[in-house]
Amino acid sequence: MLNIFKPTWTLKRIYNLSVTQCQQNNIKAILTDLDNTLIAWNNPNGTQELHEWLDEMQTAGIQVIVVSNNNHERVKKALDNFNLDFISSAHKPLANKIKQKIKSLKLTNNEVVIVGDQLLTDILAGHLAYVKSILVKPLITSDKWMTKINRFFEKIIYRIWNLTGFKINWQDKI
């Protein structure tokens, strides 16, 4: 039952996902969570590394689209410094808006990956949308209060996995 929370891959950070790795895995679009995945929730400007990563993806023709449970105003404000398409109020782990976006992009599920730092929202949404998923470590250790609830339940899942012999191995590449 807990397999529905297992990611396809794990990475230390989203910036470890390279153009070459995307091309080798036929990934044409990256659907990424916003807070603590793409940017630290308390640093809306992002880092130089983020800007360089986004430029590399754009140059290679790999679309990066933010999928966030935050409301439209919050996501729009957070992305003011970036030229990114986004889905706000995504209601992850529900996959309806993700499936609609994939269809509008005219891509197959095999050409899309969802990236996020939470099992209960991002990775579960990937499974429900039938796309590959990448679990990343949160960019910073502090979370908004709502995310702390998810982290509590994630700890239980990690403990059960440890008891069954499954361990997350944080990778530098997929």
Side-chain angles (χ1 to χ4, degrees):
M1 177 176 158
L2 294 181
N3 286 341
I4 199 153
F5 298 110
K6 286 184 180 176
T8 309
W9 298 290
T10 57
L11 283 176
K12 293 177 183 171
R13 302 170 322 132
I14 192 171
Y15 317 128
N16 289 76
L17 182 60
S18 71
V19 168
T20 302
Q21 293 167 48
C22 288
Q23 292 168 339
Q24 290 171 342
N25 288 281
N26 196 34
I27 296 168
K28 297 180 180 175
I30 300 167
L31 305 180
T32 178
D33 181 45
L34 179 64
D35 294 323
N36 270 347
T37 299
L38 193 65
I39 60 172
W41 70 269
N42 60 0
N43 178 14
N45 296 323
T47 62
Q48 181 63 32
E49 185 177 25
L50 168 60
H51 289 275
E52 291 169 4
W53 182 80
L54 289 171
D55 288 345
E56 289 172 13
M57 292 298 165
Q58 183 179 14
T59 300
I62 299 168
Q63 298 178 68
V64 177
I65 300 148
V66 171
V67 180
S68 176
N69 284 346
N70 286 299
N71 65 44
H72 183 84
E73 293 77 25
R74 161 71 175 98
V75 179
K76 185 172 180 356
K77 183 178 179 183
L79 296 177
D80 272 348
N81 296 325
F82 309 97
N83 185 24
L84 294 177
D85 188 12
F86 65 88
I87 301 169
S88 58
S89 302
H91 306 295
K92 294 179 292 182
L94 300 178
N96 294 342
K97 290 188 178 184
I98 294 168
K99 290 177 182 179
Q100 289 171 355
K101 179 51 93 175
I102 293 168
K103 188 175 180 179
S104 74
L105 295 170
K106 297 185 171 121
L107 296 174
T108 67
N109 291 3
N110 288 331
E111 296 172 314
V112 177
V113 67
I114 188 164
V115 182
D117 66 309
Q118 294 185 61
L119 297 174
L120 298 176
T121 54
D122 308 309
I123 303 308
L124 181 55
H127 279 281
L128 295 176
Y130 304 104
V131 299
K132 296 171 265 198
S133 60
I134 300 173
L135 179 66
V136 295
K137 287 183 176 184
L139 290 174
I140 59 174
T141 56
S142 66
D143 285 308
K144 292 192 279 185
W145 71 270
M146 288 176 39
T147 305
K148 289 180 183 182
I149 296 168
N150 283 352
R151 299 284 186 217
F152 171 80
F153 289 107
E154 283 182 351
K155 286 179 185 177
I156 295 170
I157 294 168
Y158 284 124
R159 281 190 211 127
I160 294 169
W161 281 346
N162 282 334
L163 292 173
T164 63
F166 178 75
K167 296 192 187 299
I168 295 289
N169 293 314
W170 299 106
Q171 305 294 316
D172 291 318
K173 61 182 181 175
I174 62 172

